[in-house]
Amino acid sequence: MGLGFVVGVFGVLILAHAAYSTIQYRGLLKITEEEFSGPPMNVVAELLLGLVFCMWAGLTVPGKFLSILPDSEENRIVSLPANLDFMSFNHRGKVFPKELDVKLKL
Amino acid sequence: MVSKTEETQLSNLENQVDNGGGGAWEFLCLVRKLKVRRSEMVLKHGLSILRDPKKRSSLGPEEWTLYEQVAIAAMDCQCLNVAKDCIKVLHKKFPESKRVGRLEALLLEANGSWEEAEKAYSSLLEDNPLDQAIHKRRVAMAKAQGNMSGAIEFLNKYLEIFMADHDAWRELAEIYVSLQMYKQAAFCYEELILSQPMVPQYHLAYADVLYTLGGLENLQTAKKYYASTIDLTGGKNTRALFGICLCSSAIGQLSKGRNKDDKESPELQSLAATALEREYKQIAPDKLSLLTTALKSLKVSA
């Protein structure tokens, strides 16, 4: 959690720095009156790095992925709940009284 | 619904609690969440928490839920004194509560005084005629007294009002199966599959009922539902695998004299048989010979 969060912040900072460098580069182009042919190398590298960091943080920080397959261990239903609303006490448990029949001391 | 991970978690906790490893409260919470019937364990460990004032007060408001849980478990174990004490405490805390009133009527039921319980339920119903739990209790009471037709009548009336209650549909289906009224049970299971199509147990039960009904058409449908159970469980349901084998053998016998144009997928049964053999080899190798003879007599093994 801590590590992922720090990496995410770092990624956002890198992206912000890339934006700042782009603005600077455009200002430089205006001054030298050159045509825009493509973003500079360091901006592209920063964008890619920021993308990787942000994606990694986004996938790890919020938590684990849950399975959506119906036959995975988490989703595979192995038994239905006992129908407790329709529970009846008239069963053979009566014949085997519990030795634990002590009063609740209050 | 109890999934595989939850089941293992429950059995682990059960072992831990039973061997004195602590975690009784977690166990009780899990039992409540999964709605399983472990009355003896709940009674034993719930009482040990309730007896200890320090542990009891650390639960906060959950304490009253525990009293209710222990009371019901005690009734199930026929420890009526404990149940009476728990209900007394709850009554003192919530004198006007309907929920406690229901517990008191439940105690009458456990005592076997049916008329008084019936009276208590009717007076509770007068205050709130749409109380689902009380309607269900009346069904359960009729069932406990052996009055199956009465239980069916009550349940049908109940289901006319609360059609979306799948627990009630399931109960009705189980009552019909116990009375061997399979056509009616099949209808209930159809209703259940419609409302919860992702639960393999309903597909399996429906297929079982259809297989029991017999007849070529029913058997073919049963086979399809066994197949859908396998699909939903990833082939880890042994009963469905056996069902496929039995169905295909029965279909083969029934359609022996007829033309064999509509003979469907012979791979399915051999696949099921292989899956069964693999599972037996893994889990119970000493029973493998029994399985192979059984499959041979069904003429399904590849």
Side-chain angles (χ1 to χ4, degrees):
Chain A
M1 169 71 200
L3 179 71
F5 192 72
V6 169
V7 168
V9 169
F10 190 57
V12 170
L13 282 180
I14 287 185
L15 285 184
H17 187 255
Y20 178 70
S21 325
T22 314
I23 294 167
Q24 250 191 348
Y25 180 64
R26 290 194 44 166
L28 189 77
L29 282 186
K30 258 181 206 155
I31 293 166
T32 53
E33 292 181 349
E34 273 177 54
E35 278 293 296
F36 178 78
S37 56
M41 227 18 234
N42 64 330
V43 170
V44 173
E46 272 178 353
L47 278 178
L48 285 178
L49 213 64
L51 174 74
V52 169
F53 283 167
C54 285
M55 203 184 249
W56 190 73
L59 291 179
T60 49
V61 171
K64 261 200 312 190
F65 283 100
L66 298 176
S67 170
I68 57 163
L69 294 172
D71 53 327
S72 66
E73 293 288 291
E74 297 95 61
N75 294 333
R76 187 157 60 88
I77 295 167
V78 287
S79 65
L80 294 168
N83 236 344
L84 292 182
D85 287 338
F86 293 101
M87 165 198 233
S88 70
F89 307 120
N90 198 4
H91 52 66
R92 58 190 163 182
K94 255 184 196 164
V95 194
F96 306 105
K98 292 262 302 164
E99 68 277 9
L100 196 102
D101 196 7
V102 265
K103 278 206 168 183
L104 174 65
K105 273 174 260 159
L106 291 166
Chain B
M1 306 294 136
V2 185
S3 73
K4 182 71 188 163
T5 26
E6 282 163 338
E7 194 195 34
T8 32
Q9 195 189 351
L10 180 70
S11 64
N12 283 347
L13 254 180
E14 207 172 356
N15 272 335
Q16 185 192 327
V17 168
D18 236 7
N19 297 325
W25 174 244
E26 286 73 28
F27 171 72
L28 293 170
C29 284
L30 196 62
V31 165
R32 245 194 341 259
K33 182 184 153 208
L34 301 181
K35 292 190 192 142
V36 290
R37 196 169 175 170
R38 298 285 151 91
S39 299
E40 220 163 294
M41 295 273 294
V42 168
L43 179 62
K44 198 169 147 204
H45 300 290
L47 264 187
S48 69
I49 292 183
L50 283 183
R51 283 218 187 93
D52 191 341
K54 212 190 284 167
K55 268 193 214 162
R56 198 175 62 205
S57 55
S58 72
L59 297 178
E62 292 284 322
E63 182 189 344
W64 310 110
T65 329
L66 181 62
Y67 269 116
E68 190 189 18
Q69 195 183 7
V70 170
I72 292 175
M75 285 184 239
D76 202 16
C77 296
Q78 297 292 320
C79 297
L80 298 181
N81 290 334
V82 178
K84 225 176 270 171
D85 288 344
C86 287
I87 294 173
K88 225 180 269 166
V89 174
L90 283 172
H91 192 83
K92 219 194 238 163
K93 173 80 184 171
F94 311 100
E96 294 291 307
S97 161
K98 293 263 149 50
R99 201 157 150 184
V100 177
R102 208 159 64 216
L103 273 181
E104 279 163 352
L106 213 58
L107 183 66
L108 290 174
E109 242 186 89
N111 256 328
S113 35
W114 306 111
E115 279 97 36
E116 283 167 55
E118 180 70 49
K119 241 181 255 163
Y121 285 134
S122 349
S123 75
L124 283 171
L125 273 184
E126 263 168 31
D127 293 338
N128 179 13
L130 291 178
D131 194 325
Q132 297 196 21
I134 291 176
H135 281 290
K136 287 180 178 179
R137 282 320 305 165
R138 293 179 82 183
V139 175
M141 223 160 65
K143 200 179 152 200
Q145 284 169 287
N147 177 11
M148 286 302 188
S149 55
I152 290 176
E153 201 182 304
F154 277 138
L155 255 180
N156 276 320
K157 253 189 230 156
Y158 171 82
L159 281 172
E160 263 170 35
I161 310 172
F162 306 103
M163 258 175 250
D165 187 342
H166 39 79
D167 282 336
W169 278 110
R170 190 175 135 217
E171 181 69 19
L172 186 60
E174 278 163 15
I175 290 178
Y176 276 136
V177 167
S178 74
L179 295 176
Q180 307 192 348
M181 295 160 80
Y182 296 119
K183 279 215 175 96
Q184 287 86 339
F187 177 81
C188 297
Y189 280 122
E190 279 163 16
E191 209 53 54
L192 279 170
I193 292 175
L194 268 182
S195 68
Q196 293 180 306
M198 292 306 275
V199 179
Q201 270 72 18
Y202 295 149
H203 291 249
L204 186 64
Y206 183 53
D208 282 344
V209 167
L210 284 179
Y211 176 77
T212 317
L213 270 173
L216 191 57
E217 213 164 290
N218 282 335
L219 283 173
Q220 274 161 349
T221 323
K223 197 172 162 187
K224 277 176 198 155
Y225 275 90
Y226 280 126
S228 74
T229 313
I230 292 180
D231 194 22
L232 287 175
T233 54
K236 288 183 187 114
N237 192 318
T238 317
R239 191 180 174 89
L241 292 173
F242 271 120
I244 290 273
C245 296
L246 283 171
C247 271
S248 9
S249 135
I251 290 171
Q253 267 173 11
L254 274 180
S255 57
K256 207 179 255 172
R258 298 176 206 180
N259 54 344
K260 287 189 178 161
D261 302 340
D262 48 16
K263 205 173 182 218
E264 39 174 321
S265 64
E267 309 97 61
L268 186 58
Q269 62 212 52
S270 59
L271 273 178
T274 358
L276 269 177
E277 268 164 8
R278 199 176 49 220
E279 203 170 315
Y280 267 75
K281 225 176 262 172
Q282 235 172 38
I283 298 167
D286 49 324
K287 303 236 169 37
L288 189 62
S289 58
L290 286 174
L291 178 79
T292 39
T293 46
L295 289 180
K296 229 173 246 162
S297 69
L298 289 173
K299 290 179 193 141
V300 286
S301 58

